[in-house]
Amino acid sequence: MSNKALDTKEEDSETMSIVEENKNFPEFSWDKIPLYMHVRKKTAYTNDEIEYLSKFPLITIEKSTGYETFGSNEAGTLETAKAIKSINPNTKILYYKNVVINWGNYEEDELFLEEHPEAYLRNDDEEKSLMPNGVTPFFDISQEIVQNYWLSHVKRITESTFIDGAFLDANIKVLVPSFFGNKVGEDKQQEIEAGYFTMLQNLNTQIGEENLLIANIIRVRPEFEDTGREFLKYFNGSYIEGFDNESFGMTYADYLVAGIEAVQKSAREGNVIAMSLGIGEAIDGSTIGIDDVRESVELEGNLNDRIDYLLAIFLVCAEKYSYIYPHDGFNSLTSAVWLKTFSQYEKNLGEPTGYAIQDGYIYTRSFEYLDVWLDIENQQAKLNWK
């Protein structure tokens, strides 16, 4: 795929990569902090909400969008995208599709599974393999019929003039052997992984030239050779979650250092980065660092320090085609920050003068109108606007 940097020079931190233009990529500007939106709502959005959404250059319309109003996720997504595009045709809108989980309210999925019940992933006892919630099943993507269905579904939706590409989720579940290995055995896990790569190869061949393909793929994990970056050849970039926490026996600071390095490298190579960082705490019992649902936040409280810290993390990573969404969950009906803005978003930013400079756990970086200081060991940041 042709989204990589044309030229990268590493003589010093002042020399920046030259990133190739790509017609499928979102609009980008350093004028203000570049923002991303990732959202769902089970009913139709209001006119004010559509107006709000139309201001974002890159939007993922999540699963469970509009199904109560329009009858399915597919119809809800298309109607939402159509409304946004009527205001801002330049907004890039991604259709959410999981690579393996059978989330509900997809009309085409339900019809396919009614006709092909063998398409469910089953264990040795012929029971459906389920997500940790004990309810949600998986597709058996080791089967060619399932691969073909998945591809035809994504292809049909992305052929809409209102959709600019796909957001592909649960890649890491497929690529970490223990997740499915513990459910259906090592041999079946390897078949699932092989089916996944077949799907991605065919996806690139059939729709990759005309669509923006973003995956939830970069993650610091011991199973990955290069933090998931080794799989970016299939995509135009990565969504980022599971970032601002500790994991795998690493301290918070060391885990975040590794994540920052992975995102910096990927952004400098010309990949789109859609960074999701949580304002509120993760819900008890949810996967640490996963941002779909979070504890609600009180807007009356002082969130400035937390927002500054999240923005500083983003800004030491960001290059052209990097975007951020600080949030308290993706459900617009429960989010305290939905339809809100923060004063930092309104300030002039300007282009970076060079890459971030790292000194242990402290990072600094300058932009035309902002100097960033970030201390991840103590979880502090200073945004000094000029």
Side-chain angles (χ1 to χ4, degrees), residues 32-183:
K32 312 285 185 184
I33 291 176
L35 298 175
Y36 167 62
M37 174 52 62
H38 195 116
V39 67
R40 71 172 185 268
K41 182 185 180 185
K42 63 184 179 180
T43 56
Y45 290 95
T46 66
N47 290 338
D48 286 346
E49 289 174 322
I50 293 295
E51 180 73 33
Y52 174 75
L53 286 170
S54 71
K55 297 175 182 178
F56 291 87
L58 177 62
I59 303 170
T60 294
I61 300 179
E62 255 275 0
K63 57 186 177 292
S64 302
T65 287
Y67 68 91
E68 285 194 357
T69 302
F70 302 107
S72 69
N73 290 336
E74 299 98 318
T77 298
L78 291 173
E79 289 297 327
T80 302
K82 179 180 178 181
I84 294 169
K85 291 280 193 178
S86 71
I87 299 174
N88 183 2
N90 296 322
T91 295
K92 296 294 184 181
I93 299 177
L94 303 179
Y95 174 64
Y96 176 99
K97 188 60 180 172
N98 204 284
V99 299
V100 68
I101 302 173
N102 173 218
W103 292 119
N105 302 308
Y106 285 90
E107 182 180 15
E108 280 196 0
D109 287 2
E110 292 173 4
L111 293 173
F112 173 73
L113 289 165
E114 285 177 10
E115 186 175 352
H116 297 282
E118 74 277 11
Y120 285 109
L121 180 65
R122 299 179 186 274
N123 60 25
D124 290 341
D125 296 326
E126 288 302 310
E127 299 171 330
K128 291 179 184 177
S129 181
L130 301 175
M131 283 281 285
N133 62 17
V135 176
T136 307
F138 300 94
F139 287 100
D140 183 357
I141 61 173
S142 70
Q143 300 183 46
E144 185 176 0
I145 189 173
V146 179
Q147 298 166 20
N148 291 339
Y149 163 70
W150 183 89
L151 181 60
S152 67
H153 174 88
V154 174
K155 185 176 180 181
R156 186 184 72 80
I157 299 297
T158 56
E159 284 175 349
S160 166
T161 57
F162 309 121
I163 300 295
D164 301 290
F167 177 99
L168 308 174
D169 207 4
N171 306 272
I172 292 169
K173 286 180 171 58
V174 175
L175 295 168
V176 172
S178 61
F179 184 83
F180 281 114
N182 291 337
K183 293 177 180 296

Side-chain angles (χ1 to χ4, degrees), residues 263-276:
V263 174
Q264 286 175 330
K265 288 179 179 178
S266 303
R268 292 171 191 178
E269 290 168 355
N271 292 283
V272 175
I273 298 296
M275 184 176 287
S276 163

Side-chain angles (χ1 to χ4, degrees), residues 205-220:
T205 300
Q206 297 191 32
I207 75 167
E209 288 298 315
E210 298 300 323
N211 285 276
L212 178 62
L213 302 178
I214 302 297
N216 184 351
I217 194 65
I218 293 178
R219 191 78 59 84
V220 176

Side-chain angles (χ1 to χ4, degrees), residues 27-34 57 320-323 349:
E27 291 184 332
F28 183 85
S29 172
W30 290 112
D31 290 348
K32 312 285 185 184
I33 291 176
K320 186 177 182 180
Y321 301 124
S322 296
Y323 310 84
L349 177 62

Side-chain angles (χ1 to χ4, degrees), residues 10 21 57 68 75 97 103 123 174 177 211 216 231-232 248 257 262 282 319 329 354 371 374 384:
E10 299 291 349
E21 298 290 335
E68 285 194 357
K97 188 60 180 172
W103 292 119
N123 60 25
V174 175
N211 285 276
N216 184 351
F231 308 113
L232 281 174
F248 302 109
V257 163
E319 302 300 334
D371 290 327
L374 173 67
N384 298 311

